[in-house]
Amino acid sequence: MSSYANLVFMVIANPKDPAGVKSMVALYNAMANLFWSVLNLFPIYAYCYSYVQPLWLYISGALSICVLFLPRRLLNKLQLSNDTRIYHQLGVHWINQVTQNGAVINRLIRRRYPHYKVVGNTRQAAQLHYRKTYMYERFHYMLFCFFTCITVYALVRQHFIWALVILLTNILYNIYPVLLQQYVRLKLAPFVSREPIK
């Protein structure tokens, strides 16, 4: 299974039980999302509940929501690189191993449905997933902004341990997912357009 499997589009190669496959995919993806969300959101929730003044929460939330409206052309300018090797050097492809629809989940599904596989032969499906990467990227940019605001607050209040914990979760839960969306777009580019990529 390729390391960027989770955002290259999927088809069910075993037509005998497509509903069963879809149910299993949904279940495993929900479990993965729950695990990573609890792991990374609980620290900032605990800190905000215990220490952050409501006014700062409102300001941080308002600023963060604005990020959801970033235009696609600006997201393209924020792209780290047009060379997938840069993302490999940062370990982005390894993150994809343990995300939803990632290599680990796909291997689990194939134990029961051996014909379940990731393919790239429908341009329309590739375009759909290509567009979804912008949605996911905006979502994680929004959380990145909120996490950063709370980190600044913690530093100002001299809660250095909390600031470090929130910073680390921000990297894991937001920065790497943003880079993953950029990486996937580069991998999907040949299916969306005729332009070659490195």
Side-chain angles (χ1 to χ4, degrees), residues 95-112:
I95 296 295
N96 189 46
Q97 296 286 322
V98 292
T99 59
Q100 63 172 343
N101 289 326
V104 172
I105 289 179
N106 286 328
R107 283 196 295 268
L108 291 174
I109 295 172
R110 283 179 173 174
R111 291 180 181 178
R112 183 170 180 180

Side-chain angles (χ1 to χ4, degrees), residues 3 12 19 22 24 43 48-49 51 59 63-64 102 104 110 114 117 123-124 138 142 152 163-164 172 177 196:
S3 62
I12 306 305
K22 292 180 180 179
M24 182 174 287
C48 289
Y49 182 81
Y51 298 105
I59 294 173
L63 290 174
S64 301
V104 172
R110 283 179 173 174
K117 62 181 179 179
R123 188 176 181 183
Q124 183 178 4
R138 289 186 183 98
M142 177 189 69
V152 171
L164 177 61
L172 182 62

Side-chain angles (χ1 to χ4, degrees), residues 10 22 27 36 43 53 77-79 96 111 126 141 161 190:
M10 298 181 299
K22 292 180 180 179
L27 175 62
W36 289 113
Q53 296 295 323
K77 290 181 179 180
L78 293 174
Q79 180 103 12
N96 189 46
R111 291 180 181 178
Y141 267 130
I161 299 299

Side-chain angles (χ1 to χ4, degrees), residues 47 56 148-160 163:
Y47 181 74
W56 187 254
T148 301
C149 290
I150 301 304
T151 301
V152 171
Y153 182 91
L155 289 172
V156 171
R157 296 292 299 273
Q158 298 184 351
H159 298 156
F160 299 120

